[in-house]
Short mmCIF file of all heavy atoms in Angstrom, two decimals:
data_model
loop_
_atom_site.label_atom_id
_atom_site.label_comp_id
_atom_site.label_asym_id
_atom_site.label_seq_id
_atom_site.Cartn_x
_atom_site.Cartn_y
_atom_site.Cartn_z
N MET A 1 153.95 156.33 35.71
CA MET A 1 154.44 154.99 35.42
C MET A 1 155.31 155.04 34.17
O MET A 1 155.05 155.77 33.25
CB MET A 1 153.27 154.01 35.15
CG MET A 1 152.28 153.88 36.28
SD MET A 1 152.81 152.80 37.62
CE MET A 1 152.19 151.21 37.08
N GLU A 18 156.19 153.28 39.03
CA GLU A 18 156.30 154.72 39.28
C GLU A 18 157.77 155.14 39.29
O GLU A 18 158.62 154.40 39.80
CB GLU A 18 155.71 155.05 40.65
CG GLU A 18 154.21 154.88 40.75
CD GLU A 18 153.46 155.99 40.04
OE1 GLU A 18 153.42 157.11 40.57
OE2 GLU A 18 152.93 155.73 38.95
N ASP A 20 159.31 157.20 41.09
CA ASP A 20 159.94 157.41 42.40
C ASP A 20 159.99 156.15 43.25
O ASP A 20 160.37 156.18 44.41
CB ASP A 20 159.24 158.54 43.16
CG ASP A 20 157.77 158.24 43.40
OD1 ASP A 20 157.28 157.21 42.87
OD2 ASP A 20 157.11 159.03 44.11
N MET A 21 159.57 155.03 42.68
CA MET A 21 159.61 153.81 43.49
C MET A 21 161.07 153.44 43.78
O MET A 21 161.87 153.31 42.87
CB MET A 21 158.91 152.64 42.78
CG MET A 21 158.82 151.41 43.68
SD MET A 21 158.21 149.93 42.86
CE MET A 21 156.47 150.07 43.11
N PRO A 22 161.42 153.32 45.06
CA PRO A 22 162.81 152.96 45.37
C PRO A 22 163.16 151.58 44.82
O PRO A 22 162.32 150.67 44.81
CB PRO A 22 162.84 152.97 46.89
CG PRO A 22 161.70 153.82 47.31
CD PRO A 22 160.63 153.57 46.27
N TRP A 25 162.00 148.38 46.62
CA TRP A 25 160.67 147.78 46.43
C TRP A 25 160.51 147.22 45.02
O TRP A 25 159.76 146.27 44.80
CB TRP A 25 159.57 148.81 46.77
CG TRP A 25 159.71 149.25 48.19
CD1 TRP A 25 160.10 150.48 48.64
CD2 TRP A 25 159.54 148.44 49.37
NE1 TRP A 25 160.17 150.49 50.01
CE2 TRP A 25 159.83 149.26 50.49
CE3 TRP A 25 159.17 147.11 49.59
CZ2 TRP A 25 159.76 148.79 51.80
CZ3 TRP A 25 159.10 146.65 50.91
CH2 TRP A 25 159.39 147.47 51.98
N ARG A 28 162.23 143.84 45.42
CA ARG A 28 161.50 142.92 46.29
C ARG A 28 160.12 142.56 45.74
O ARG A 28 159.79 141.39 45.60
CB ARG A 28 161.32 143.52 47.70
CG ARG A 28 162.58 143.50 48.55
CD ARG A 28 162.29 144.07 49.94
NE ARG A 28 161.19 143.37 50.58
CZ ARG A 28 161.32 142.26 51.30
NH1 ARG A 28 162.50 141.72 51.48
NH2 ARG A 28 160.25 141.69 51.83
N LYS A 34 163.65 138.58 47.32
CA LYS A 34 163.35 139.02 48.68
C LYS A 34 164.57 139.10 49.59
O LYS A 34 164.44 139.42 50.78
CB LYS A 34 162.33 138.07 49.32
CG LYS A 34 161.02 137.94 48.54
CD LYS A 34 160.18 139.19 48.67
CE LYS A 34 158.79 138.95 48.08
NZ LYS A 34 158.02 140.19 48.01
N LYS A 37 166.71 143.58 52.10
CA LYS A 37 165.75 143.81 53.18
C LYS A 37 165.43 145.28 53.43
O LYS A 37 166.25 146.17 53.18
CB LYS A 37 166.30 143.21 54.48
CG LYS A 37 166.57 141.71 54.41
CD LYS A 37 165.33 140.90 54.08
CE LYS A 37 165.54 139.41 54.29
NZ LYS A 37 164.73 138.61 53.36
N GLY A 39 164.75 147.99 56.31
CA GLY A 39 164.98 148.17 57.74
C GLY A 39 164.59 149.55 58.24
O GLY A 39 164.13 149.70 59.36
N CYS A 40 164.80 150.58 57.40
CA CYS A 40 164.53 151.93 57.90
C CYS A 40 163.95 152.85 56.83
O CYS A 40 163.24 153.78 57.15
CB CYS A 40 165.82 152.55 58.45
SG CYS A 40 167.04 152.91 57.17
N MET A 42 165.48 155.03 55.22
CA MET A 42 166.12 156.35 55.28
C MET A 42 167.63 156.30 55.14
O MET A 42 168.32 157.22 55.59
CB MET A 42 165.78 157.03 56.61
CG MET A 42 164.44 157.72 56.63
SD MET A 42 164.14 158.55 58.22
CE MET A 42 165.29 159.92 58.15
N LEU A 44 169.71 154.60 56.78
CA LEU A 44 170.33 154.63 58.11
C LEU A 44 170.81 153.27 58.60
O LEU A 44 171.59 153.20 59.53
CB LEU A 44 169.32 155.18 59.13
CG LEU A 44 168.85 156.61 58.93
CD1 LEU A 44 167.61 156.89 59.78
CD2 LEU A 44 169.95 157.61 59.27
N GLN A 88 180.78 134.90 52.13
CA GLN A 88 179.69 134.05 52.63
C GLN A 88 180.24 132.83 53.38
O GLN A 88 179.74 132.43 54.42
CB GLN A 88 178.79 133.61 51.47
CG GLN A 88 178.01 134.77 50.88
CD GLN A 88 177.36 134.39 49.54
OE1 GLN A 88 178.01 133.84 48.66
NE2 GLN A 88 176.08 134.71 49.41
N GLU A 93 181.76 130.07 58.52
CA GLU A 93 182.82 129.59 59.41
C GLU A 93 182.76 130.30 60.76
O GLU A 93 182.90 129.67 61.80
CB GLU A 93 184.20 129.84 58.77
CG GLU A 93 184.57 128.86 57.67
CD GLU A 93 184.39 127.41 58.09
OE1 GLU A 93 184.85 127.06 59.19
OE2 GLU A 93 183.77 126.64 57.33
N GLN A 95 180.18 131.70 61.96
CA GLN A 95 178.80 131.64 62.48
C GLN A 95 178.31 133.06 62.83
O GLN A 95 177.88 133.33 63.95
CB GLN A 95 178.73 130.73 63.71
CG GLN A 95 179.05 129.28 63.39
CD GLN A 95 177.86 128.52 62.82
OE1 GLN A 95 176.92 128.19 63.53
NE2 GLN A 95 177.88 128.27 61.50
N PRO A 97 175.68 135.11 61.50
CA PRO A 97 174.30 135.56 61.67
C PRO A 97 173.64 135.07 62.95
O PRO A 97 173.87 133.95 63.38
CB PRO A 97 173.56 134.93 60.47
CG PRO A 97 174.62 134.58 59.50
CD PRO A 97 175.83 134.25 60.31
N GLN A 98 172.85 135.94 63.53
CA GLN A 98 171.92 135.49 64.55
C GLN A 98 170.56 135.42 63.85
O GLN A 98 170.28 134.45 63.18
CB GLN A 98 171.96 136.40 65.78
CG GLN A 98 173.27 136.18 66.57
CD GLN A 98 173.33 136.95 67.86
OE1 GLN A 98 172.32 137.25 68.49
NE2 GLN A 98 174.54 137.27 68.30
N CYS A 99 169.74 136.48 63.96
CA CYS A 99 168.48 136.41 63.21
C CYS A 99 168.76 136.42 61.72
O CYS A 99 167.98 135.90 60.93
CB CYS A 99 167.55 137.55 63.60
SG CYS A 99 167.91 139.13 62.80
N GLY A 100 169.86 137.04 61.31
CA GLY A 100 170.26 137.02 59.91
C GLY A 100 169.66 138.11 59.05
O GLY A 100 170.04 138.29 57.90
N TYR A 101 168.73 138.86 59.61
CA TYR A 101 167.98 139.81 58.79
C TYR A 101 168.86 140.91 58.20
O TYR A 101 168.67 141.32 57.07
CB TYR A 101 166.86 140.42 59.63
CG TYR A 101 165.87 141.22 58.81
CD1 TYR A 101 164.86 140.58 58.09
CD2 TYR A 101 165.93 142.61 58.77
CE1 TYR A 101 163.94 141.32 57.35
CE2 TYR A 101 165.02 143.34 58.02
CZ TYR A 101 164.03 142.69 57.31
OH TYR A 101 163.12 143.42 56.57
N ASP A 126 185.98 149.35 59.72
CA ASP A 126 185.11 150.33 60.38
C ASP A 126 184.46 151.24 59.36
O ASP A 126 183.25 151.47 59.37
CB ASP A 126 185.93 151.21 61.35
CG ASP A 126 186.27 150.49 62.64
OD1 ASP A 126 185.76 149.37 62.85
OD2 ASP A 126 187.05 151.05 63.44
N SER A 130 180.31 150.55 58.96
CA SER A 130 179.58 151.22 60.04
C SER A 130 178.21 151.75 59.62
O SER A 130 177.43 152.16 60.47
CB SER A 130 180.43 152.34 60.64
OG SER A 130 181.51 151.73 61.32
N ARG A 135 171.07 144.69 64.99
CA ARG A 135 170.47 144.78 66.32
C ARG A 135 170.83 143.56 67.17
O ARG A 135 170.82 143.63 68.39
CB ARG A 135 168.95 144.92 66.18
CG ARG A 135 168.20 145.17 67.48
CD ARG A 135 168.62 146.44 68.19
NE ARG A 135 167.61 146.95 69.11
CZ ARG A 135 167.89 147.75 70.13
NH1 ARG A 135 169.15 148.12 70.34
NH2 ARG A 135 166.93 148.19 70.91
N CYS A 136 171.12 142.44 66.52
CA CYS A 136 171.50 141.24 67.28
C CYS A 136 172.92 141.35 67.81
O CYS A 136 173.32 140.57 68.66
CB CYS A 136 171.37 139.99 66.42
SG CYS A 136 169.68 139.64 65.89
N TYR A 139 178.65 142.26 65.40
CA TYR A 139 179.78 143.04 64.85
C TYR A 139 181.14 142.38 65.02
O TYR A 139 181.98 142.42 64.13
CB TYR A 139 179.82 144.42 65.51
CG TYR A 139 178.60 145.26 65.29
CD1 TYR A 139 177.94 145.88 66.35
CD2 TYR A 139 178.08 145.46 64.01
CE1 TYR A 139 176.82 146.68 66.15
CE2 TYR A 139 176.95 146.25 63.80
CZ TYR A 139 176.32 146.86 64.88
OH TYR A 139 175.21 147.64 64.68
N ARG A 141 181.93 139.30 65.17
CA ARG A 141 182.10 138.19 64.22
C ARG A 141 182.21 138.70 62.78
O ARG A 141 182.89 138.10 61.95
CB ARG A 141 180.94 137.21 64.36
CG ARG A 141 181.01 136.46 65.68
CD ARG A 141 179.83 135.55 65.89
NE ARG A 141 179.88 135.01 67.24
CZ ARG A 141 179.86 133.70 67.54
NH1 ARG A 141 179.76 132.80 66.57
NH2 ARG A 141 179.91 133.30 68.78
N ARG A 143 183.65 141.43 61.85
CA ARG A 143 185.05 141.85 61.68
C ARG A 143 185.95 140.63 61.46
O ARG A 143 186.76 140.59 60.53
CB ARG A 143 185.51 142.64 62.90
CG ARG A 143 186.90 143.25 62.74
CD ARG A 143 187.41 143.90 64.02
NE ARG A 143 186.57 144.96 64.55
CZ ARG A 143 186.49 146.19 64.03
NH1 ARG A 143 187.22 146.51 62.98
NH2 ARG A 143 185.71 147.10 64.57
N MET B 68 164.22 133.68 66.57
CA MET B 68 164.34 135.12 66.31
C MET B 68 165.80 135.52 66.29
O MET B 68 166.13 136.69 66.41
CB MET B 68 163.57 135.89 67.36
CG MET B 68 163.83 135.46 68.79
SD MET B 68 162.68 136.28 69.91
CE MET B 68 163.05 135.46 71.46
N GLY B 69 166.68 134.52 66.16
CA GLY B 69 168.10 134.79 66.16
C GLY B 69 168.80 134.19 67.35
O GLY B 69 170.02 134.19 67.45
N ARG B 197 175.47 125.94 63.25
CA ARG B 197 174.02 126.01 63.04
C ARG B 197 173.72 125.77 61.56
O ARG B 197 174.32 126.41 60.70
CB ARG B 197 173.48 127.37 63.50
CG ARG B 197 173.30 127.46 65.02
CD ARG B 197 172.95 128.85 65.47
NE ARG B 197 174.07 129.75 65.27
CZ ARG B 197 174.00 130.91 64.63
NH1 ARG B 197 172.85 131.34 64.14
NH2 ARG B 197 175.06 131.64 64.48
N ARG B 203 171.00 132.08 55.62
CA ARG B 203 171.01 133.46 56.09
C ARG B 203 172.17 134.27 55.50
O ARG B 203 172.32 135.45 55.81
CB ARG B 203 171.08 133.50 57.63
CG ARG B 203 169.81 132.96 58.24
CD ARG B 203 169.87 132.90 59.75
NE ARG B 203 168.83 131.98 60.22
CZ ARG B 203 168.11 132.15 61.30
NH1 ARG B 203 168.28 133.18 62.05
NH2 ARG B 203 167.20 131.27 61.64
N VAL B 204 173.02 133.63 54.71
CA VAL B 204 174.07 134.40 54.05
C VAL B 204 173.87 134.46 52.55
O VAL B 204 174.67 135.03 51.82
CB VAL B 204 175.50 133.86 54.37
CG1 VAL B 204 175.72 133.82 55.89
CG2 VAL B 204 175.74 132.49 53.78
N TYR B 210 161.71 135.43 55.93
CA TYR B 210 161.16 136.12 57.11
C TYR B 210 159.71 136.48 56.82
O TYR B 210 159.26 136.40 55.67
CB TYR B 210 161.98 137.38 57.39
CG TYR B 210 163.44 137.06 57.66
CD1 TYR B 210 164.34 136.92 56.61
CD2 TYR B 210 163.91 136.84 58.95
CE1 TYR B 210 165.67 136.58 56.83
CE2 TYR B 210 165.23 136.51 59.19
CZ TYR B 210 166.12 136.39 58.13
OH TYR B 210 167.42 136.04 58.36
N ILE B 212 158.34 139.28 56.43
CA ILE B 212 158.23 140.36 55.45
C ILE B 212 158.40 139.84 54.02
O ILE B 212 158.06 140.53 53.06
CB ILE B 212 159.25 141.48 55.78
CG1 ILE B 212 158.82 142.81 55.18
CG2 ILE B 212 160.65 141.08 55.35
CD1 ILE B 212 159.62 144.00 55.70
N ASP B 213 158.92 138.63 53.87
CA ASP B 213 159.18 138.09 52.53
C ASP B 213 158.03 137.26 51.97
O ASP B 213 158.11 136.76 50.86
CB ASP B 213 160.44 137.20 52.58
CG ASP B 213 161.66 137.97 53.08
OD1 ASP B 213 161.73 139.18 52.80
OD2 ASP B 213 162.51 137.37 53.75
N ASP B 215 154.83 136.19 50.14
CA ASP B 215 153.95 136.66 49.06
C ASP B 215 152.94 135.56 48.82
O ASP B 215 153.34 134.41 48.64
CB ASP B 215 154.76 136.77 47.76
CG ASP B 215 155.26 138.18 47.52
OD1 ASP B 215 154.87 139.07 48.29
OD2 ASP B 215 156.03 138.37 46.56
N LYS B 246 149.31 156.13 42.15
CA LYS B 246 149.09 154.92 41.35
C LYS B 246 149.33 153.68 42.20
O LYS B 246 150.32 153.60 42.92
CB LYS B 246 150.03 154.89 40.16
CG LYS B 246 149.74 155.98 39.17
CD LYS B 246 149.59 155.41 37.75
CE LYS B 246 148.99 156.44 36.83
NZ LYS B 246 149.74 157.72 36.84
N TYR B 273 153.71 147.51 48.10
CA TYR B 273 153.91 148.18 49.38
C TYR B 273 154.25 149.66 49.21
O TYR B 273 153.81 150.51 49.97
CB TYR B 273 155.01 147.48 50.20
CG TYR B 273 155.22 148.14 51.54
CD1 TYR B 273 154.20 148.13 52.49
CD2 TYR B 273 156.40 148.79 51.85
CE1 TYR B 273 154.36 148.76 53.72
CE2 TYR B 273 156.58 149.42 53.08
CZ TYR B 273 155.55 149.41 54.00
OH TYR B 273 155.71 150.02 55.21
N LYS B 278 153.32 155.30 50.10
CA LYS B 278 153.27 156.64 49.53
C LYS B 278 151.88 157.24 49.74
O LYS B 278 151.74 158.41 50.10
CB LYS B 278 153.60 156.55 48.03
CG LYS B 278 154.01 157.84 47.42
CD LYS B 278 154.44 157.62 45.97
CE LYS B 278 154.29 158.91 45.19
NZ LYS B 278 154.40 158.68 43.74
N ALA B 343 162.74 151.20 72.86
CA ALA B 343 162.08 150.44 71.79
C ALA B 343 162.93 149.20 71.48
O ALA B 343 164.13 149.20 71.70
CB ALA B 343 161.95 151.30 70.54
N HIS B 344 162.28 148.17 70.98
CA HIS B 344 163.01 146.94 70.67
C HIS B 344 163.79 147.09 69.37
O HIS B 344 164.90 146.60 69.25
CB HIS B 344 162.05 145.76 70.54
CG HIS B 344 161.13 145.59 71.71
ND1 HIS B 344 160.10 146.46 71.98
CD2 HIS B 344 161.10 144.65 72.68
CE1 HIS B 344 159.47 146.05 73.08
NE2 HIS B 344 160.05 144.96 73.51
N ILE B 347 165.55 144.73 63.39
CA ILE B 347 165.75 145.33 62.06
C ILE B 347 164.62 144.94 61.11
O ILE B 347 164.27 145.70 60.22
CB ILE B 347 167.15 144.99 61.49
CG1 ILE B 347 168.26 145.37 62.49
CG2 ILE B 347 167.39 145.73 60.17
CD1 ILE B 347 168.49 146.84 62.71
N GLY B 398 164.81 139.33 64.20
CA GLY B 398 164.93 139.98 65.51
C GLY B 398 163.56 140.17 66.11
O GLY B 398 162.54 140.20 65.40
N PHE B 400 163.19 140.39 70.34
CA PHE B 400 163.56 140.92 71.65
C PHE B 400 162.36 141.18 72.55
O PHE B 400 162.41 142.02 73.44
CB PHE B 400 164.41 142.21 71.49
CG PHE B 400 165.48 142.07 70.44
CD1 PHE B 400 165.37 142.72 69.22
CD2 PHE B 400 166.56 141.24 70.66
CE1 PHE B 400 166.34 142.56 68.23
CE2 PHE B 400 167.53 141.06 69.68
CZ PHE B 400 167.42 141.72 68.47
N ARG B 429 159.72 151.79 60.00
CA ARG B 429 160.58 151.96 61.18
C ARG B 429 159.98 153.02 62.10
O ARG B 429 160.05 152.91 63.33
CB ARG B 429 162.00 152.37 60.74
CG ARG B 429 162.97 152.66 61.86
CD ARG B 429 163.16 151.47 62.78
NE ARG B 429 163.49 150.28 62.01
CZ ARG B 429 163.33 149.04 62.45
NH1 ARG B 429 162.84 148.79 63.65
NH2 ARG B 429 163.65 148.02 61.69
N ASP B 623 179.08 127.79 71.34
CA ASP B 623 179.26 128.93 70.44
C ASP B 623 178.02 129.81 70.42
O ASP B 623 178.11 131.02 70.28
CB ASP B 623 179.57 128.43 69.01
CG ASP B 623 180.00 129.57 68.12
OD1 ASP B 623 180.97 130.27 68.49
OD2 ASP B 623 179.37 129.78 67.06
N ALA B 627 177.59 133.66 71.28
CA ALA B 627 176.96 134.59 70.33
C ALA B 627 175.88 135.41 71.04
O ALA B 627 175.79 136.63 70.85
CB ALA B 627 176.36 133.83 69.15
N GLN B 628 175.08 134.75 71.85
CA GLN B 628 174.01 135.47 72.56
C GLN B 628 174.59 136.46 73.56
O GLN B 628 174.07 137.55 73.75
CB GLN B 628 173.08 134.48 73.27
CG GLN B 628 172.18 133.71 72.33
CD GLN B 628 171.34 134.63 71.47
OE1 GLN B 628 170.57 135.44 71.97
NE2 GLN B 628 171.51 134.54 70.16
N GLU B 630 177.51 137.93 73.25
CA GLU B 630 178.01 139.04 72.44
C GLU B 630 176.87 140.00 72.12
O GLU B 630 176.99 141.22 72.24
CB GLU B 630 178.58 138.52 71.10
CG GLU B 630 179.92 137.83 71.22
CD GLU B 630 180.23 136.93 70.00
OE1 GLU B 630 179.78 137.25 68.88
OE2 GLU B 630 180.92 135.93 70.18
N GLY B 631 175.75 139.42 71.71
CA GLY B 631 174.58 140.24 71.39
C GLY B 631 174.13 141.06 72.59
O GLY B 631 173.74 142.22 72.46
N ASN B 656 163.24 157.32 63.88
CA ASN B 656 164.02 156.38 63.07
C ASN B 656 165.42 156.31 63.67
O ASN B 656 165.69 156.93 64.70
CB ASN B 656 164.03 156.83 61.59
CG ASN B 656 164.20 155.65 60.63
OD1 ASN B 656 165.00 154.75 60.86
ND2 ASN B 656 163.45 155.65 59.54
N MET B 663 174.25 151.05 68.48
CA MET B 663 175.70 150.95 68.38
C MET B 663 176.10 150.42 67.00
O MET B 663 175.45 149.55 66.45
CB MET B 663 176.15 149.97 69.45
CG MET B 663 177.60 150.00 69.73
SD MET B 663 177.84 148.85 71.10
CE MET B 663 179.48 148.37 70.72
N ARG B 664 177.19 150.96 66.47
CA ARG B 664 177.67 150.54 65.16
C ARG B 664 179.00 149.81 65.27
O ARG B 664 179.65 149.87 66.31
CB ARG B 664 177.80 151.76 64.24
CG ARG B 664 176.45 152.36 63.91
CD ARG B 664 176.52 153.65 63.11
NE ARG B 664 175.17 154.16 62.89
CZ ARG B 664 174.39 153.82 61.85
NH1 ARG B 664 174.84 153.01 60.93
NH2 ARG B 664 173.18 154.31 61.75
N ASN B 666 181.99 150.33 64.22
CA ASN B 666 183.21 151.08 64.58
C ASN B 666 183.29 151.39 66.07
O ASN B 666 184.33 151.77 66.56
CB ASN B 666 183.29 152.38 63.77
CG ASN B 666 182.11 153.28 64.06
OD1 ASN B 666 180.97 152.83 64.16
ND2 ASN B 666 182.36 154.56 64.21
#
Side-chain angles (χ1 to χ4, degrees):
Chain A
M1 301 281 270
E18 291 286 286
D20 59 354
M21 186 188 270
W25 300 110
R28 285 182 55 86
K34 302 288 189 188
K37 301 301 192 210
C40 69
M42 277 182 71
L44 297 165
Q88 292 168 311
E93 284 309 312
Q95 295 278 287
Q98 288 185 28
C99 81
Y101 190 80
D126 283 353
S130 292
R135 186 60 158 158
C136 297
Y139 299 130
R141 290 176 188 235
R143 186 186 302 285
Chain B
M68 48 188 173
R197 281 172 292 128
R203 293 176 199 218
V204 304
Y210 301 85
I212 203 168
D213 302 328
D215 264 353
K246 293 232 167 54
Y273 181 64
K278 199 175 156 192
H344 307 71
I347 306 291
F400 315 108
R429 177 59 52 201
D623 190 55
Q628 287 304 301
E630 286 161 30
N656 207 319
M663 195 176 151
R664 293 175 182 271
N666 61 318

